[in-house]
Amino acid sequence: MSRPRIVIVGAGFAGYRTAKELSRKARGKADITLLNPTDYFLYLPLLPQVAAGILEPRRVTVSLSDTLPRVRLVLGEADGIDLDARTVHYTDPEGTGGTLGYDRLVLAAGSVNKLLPIPGVAEHAHGFRGLPEALYLRDHVTRQIELAAASDDPETCAARCTFVVVGAGYTGTEVAAHGQLFTGAQVRRHPLREGMRPRWILLDVAERVLPELDPHLSRTADRTLRERGVEVRMGTSVKEATPEGVLLTDGEFVRTRSLVWCVGVRPDPLAESLGLPMERGRLLVDPNLQVPGRPEVFACGDAAAVPDLDNPGQYTPMTAQHAWRQGRTAALNVAASLGAGVRRPYEHRDLGFVVDLGGAKAAANPLGIPLSGLAAGAVTRGYHLAAMPGNRVRVAADWLLDAVLPRQAVQLGLVRSWSVPLDTASPELARVPGRPQPRREADARSGPGAATEPETRPGRGATGRGEPGESGGPETDAAEPSVVASAGEAVIEEAKAREAAERESPERGPAQWESPEWESPQQSSDPATSQSGPEPVTKQPGGAAAEDAESAEGDS
């Protein structure tokens, strides 16, 4: 009997953990394939430190091939899934198409930048979901400070030294905190015109910073930001973005060349193309992370709406903490569906959150205990070192060097503004000349002026970001529902046509893992049909920062 084929789509927190647990548990008794656009796992929580020059880019990446034994890595982006034929169609980095057959599928495609139909935002802002965007922001901030120092025009100098961050959630708060320290250190080496200093503005329509986290964390972060000179403006957002600056919802026009977009994320559009029940853009699953009616399909992380058993009727938020734990549960349940062990529902216990505010400042509530100051800083960095699946020594070494040596503020010029657009469904990849366009483009989801909503309408977008604490508010939807539906149908039809042309033999049925250890006496020879799963979950009506509006002279 042939070995079962398991395909995992996405190597974020959920997908990486699923692959790692399955590799350990299967011990070569299954063919495990991981499909991902890059050959590394990205530790997103430390991305603001890359943008601020604290950590080198490779410190936050972990090699998939080196850390996932017995897992086959396929580089590419999934552009269609044929559920009936049990195939995943993908495009590799050079534009060549391919097909992967599966007996079990784990969808962990993650999330992308959330766009809002605010005039000018897509053209003059950048997101913060991938390494290219972080590298671009570091270059851009450095360039603006250097150009401002050389400028003789006070207005131009002031505009280049003004940085607007939209979204006071986890990402936006850290970006503003680290960014202020980064630019402050730069102007000490490149003095500006007399009386001028870098100006950082943090906007959000919510009432407080970090609105979805503990009030203690919110107060600590707000106080730290204001003490450093960051202008924290709650109840305010962007009404329009232009090359010269941004018009705020309170009527003020702020001259700036830098718009940092940290308003949260929505699930990867791949989930919508399946035509299955959705909850605010996320694929509905049962507590065992299985898709109702499709017991061979599992979903976890930002792409899945996982019931929160501690809060009936609610779903777990889109955070890295949940994605990491769900990955382990998905791996155990995939193994159980193939005869190894028993299924178990996803349950969690809140471990608290940490927010790195730069330097020795942080806010943390480990196990519900509120901390601030040096204690919070130590807990925050200890948490990140413990959570990272690799590079711990190198990260710690970079932190030590940053504490005793000045940062190198130089422009590498490796990532240009046009190569990291905000409206992309593949933020982990920088656009380059000649490369095929991404399979899906992220579209705007909510109403003008409301720039930090955590969620979109049912079945369309989603909330939060891969990390805790994106803020929220009401919203409207500018896109027609039929647009997404027709796009999803087109993807599926194209996938079916391609599969029919390429398939040379009948599809293999699911197979048991070939070992007594993986056989269950209560399971039939076809686990995909014998484990039908619970009744479908009822659909309920209704978790980055590098934005730059580059002028021609600033990004030539």
Side-chain angles (χ1 to χ4, degrees):
M1 186 178 295
S2 59
R3 296 188 300 179
R5 302 164 299 170
I6 303 172
V7 173
I8 304 168
V9 179
F13 281 92
Y16 181 86
R17 184 73 183 278
T18 302
K20 195 170 186 66
E21 292 292 331
L22 278 173
S23 172
R24 180 185 62 82
K25 195 170 182 63
R27 294 193 293 273
K29 299 181 180 69
D31 293 330
I32 305 172
T33 301
L34 178 61
L35 177 63
N36 196 59
T38 65
D39 64 350
Y40 59 80
F41 161 79
L42 176 64
Y43 190 74
L44 273 169
L46 292 181
L47 209 54
Q49 296 193 23
V50 174
I54 299 174
L55 296 177
E56 288 303 308
R58 286 184 296 177
R59 303 295 187 257
V60 298
T61 64
V62 177
S63 171
L64 298 178
S65 299
D66 291 346
T67 58
L68 296 177
R70 297 177 294 277
V71 173
R72 174 193 174 204
L73 172 63
V74 175
L75 292 178
E77 296 181 80
D79 47 29
I81 298 175
D82 190 328
L83 296 174
D84 295 327
R86 296 191 181 186
T87 55
V88 177
H89 302 273
Y90 68 92
T91 302
D92 70 17
E94 295 184 347
T96 303
T99 302
L100 297 172
Y102 65 84
D103 299 315
R104 294 293 182 271
L105 172 67
V106 181
L107 183 62
S111 54
V112 298
N113 294 312
K114 182 168 64 177
L115 292 180
L116 308 176
I118 299 175
V121 165
E123 295 79 13
H124 304 297
H126 295 80
F128 201 71
R129 294 294 299 166
L131 202 53
E133 293 168 319
L135 294 175
Y136 171 74
L137 178 61
R138 185 164 70 176
D139 270 4
H140 170 72
V141 170
T142 301
R143 178 167 57 252
Q144 296 309 307
I145 294 298
E146 292 174 347
L147 291 175
S151 176
D152 294 327
D153 180 22
E155 290 189 0
T156 300
C157 180
R160 291 193 180 280
C161 290
T162 299
F163 305 89
V164 178
V165 182
V166 185
Y170 185 98
T171 304
T173 299
E174 287 199 342
V175 165
H178 281 285
Q180 193 279 335
L181 292 178
F182 185 42
T183 55
Q186 284 184 280
V187 298
R188 285 193 289 271
R189 293 191 294 273
H190 302 279
L192 303 175
R193 295 176 59 90
E194 185 175 354
M196 288 192 177
R197 62 180 181 84
R199 180 190 183 193
W200 285 81
I201 304 174
L202 180 62
L203 308 174
D204 201 307
V205 295
E207 296 181 354
R208 60 184 176 89
V209 173
L210 301 172
E212 295 183 357
L213 299 188
D214 184 273
H216 170 78
L217 298 183
S218 177
R219 289 192 299 269
T220 300
D222 186 276
R223 181 175 62 253
T224 300
L225 292 171
R226 294 181 188 275
E227 288 175 351
R228 290 180 181 170
V230 176
E231 299 179 32
V232 180
R233 299 191 186 184
M234 298 294 97
T236 307
S237 188
V238 173
K239 186 176 182 180
E240 181 180 3
T242 72
E244 291 76 32
V246 293
L247 176 63
L248 305 184
T249 53
D250 61 7
E252 180 184 354
F253 184 82
V254 178
R255 289 179 57 83
T256 180
R257 305 291 178 87
S258 308
L259 180 58
V260 186
W261 194 251
C262 305
V263 302
V265 297
R266 67 183 184 89
D268 190 292
L270 178 65
E272 290 181 326
S273 71
L274 300 180
L276 297 172
M278 309 291 291
E279 168 62 30
R280 302 183 187 275
R282 294 193 283 174
L283 191 62
L284 276 172
V285 297
D286 63 25
N288 299 314
L289 306 182
Q290 287 180 289
V291 175
R294 294 282 181 178
E296 77 280 2
V297 180
F298 296 75
C300 52
D302 289 355
V306 181
D308 189 340
L309 299 183
D310 293 333
N311 300 285
Q314 302 296 318
Y315 299 92
T316 58
M318 296 167 62
T319 69
Q321 193 175 111
H322 280 292
W324 187 253
R325 298 176 186 176
Q326 288 170 10
R328 181 175 185 274
T329 300
L332 295 176
N333 288 340
V334 167
S337 74
L338 293 166
V342 295
R343 296 188 306 171
R344 63 184 66 183
Y346 173 69
E347 297 178 306
H348 67 91
R349 187 166 72 96
D350 188 6
L351 299 179
F353 293 118
V354 296
V355 182
D356 187 351
L357 300 176
K361 299 288 186 178
N365 62 343
L367 302 177
I369 303 173
L371 298 175
S372 60
L374 292 176
V379 168
T380 297
R381 295 203 166 182
Y383 169 83
H384 286 314
L385 288 179
M388 290 192 68
N391 293 344
R392 296 186 181 95
V393 174
R394 290 184 173 91
V395 169
D398 274 6
W399 282 342
L400 177 61
L401 292 175
D402 182 68
V404 299
L405 297 174
R407 299 179 201 172
Q408 291 181 298
V410 296
Q411 300 180 54
L412 298 180
L414 300 177
V415 182
R416 295 296 186 178
S417 176
W418 55 265
S419 65
V420 284
L422 183 63
D423 59 339
T424 178
S426 303
E428 60 278 319
L429 296 175
R431 289 186 181 177
V432 297
R435 173 180 290 173
Q437 294 301 310
R439 67 195 185 284
R440 304 174 299 274
E441 289 304 323
D443 55 344
R445 292 301 187 194
S446 51
T452 53
E453 294 83 355
E455 53 192 37
T456 57
R457 291 172 58 185
R460 298 298 311 282
T463 92
R465 83 159 237 198
E467 284 307 305
E470 296 306 333
S471 52
E475 63 181 32
T476 59
D477 197 329
E480 291 293 333
S482 61
V483 174
V484 174
S486 61
E489 292 171 2
V491 170
I492 294 176
E493 289 302 321
E494 179 185 354
K496 289 181 178 179
R498 187 188 307 169
E499 169 61 16
E502 295 179 355
R503 193 166 49 209
E504 297 179 356
S505 60
E507 179 197 6
R508 295 193 309 170
Q512 294 284 358
W513 289 8
E514 300 176 15
S515 168
E517 178 185 355
W518 299 97
E519 295 177 358
S520 172
Q522 298 178 351
Q523 188 169 348
S524 71
S525 61
D526 189 347
T529 57
S530 63
Q531 285 194 359
S532 59
E535 292 298 317
V537 181
T538 302
K539 184 175 181 180
Q540 300 291 334
E547 282 50 282
D548 161 310
E550 280 299 68
S551 63
E553 69 172 306
D555 190 7
S556 56

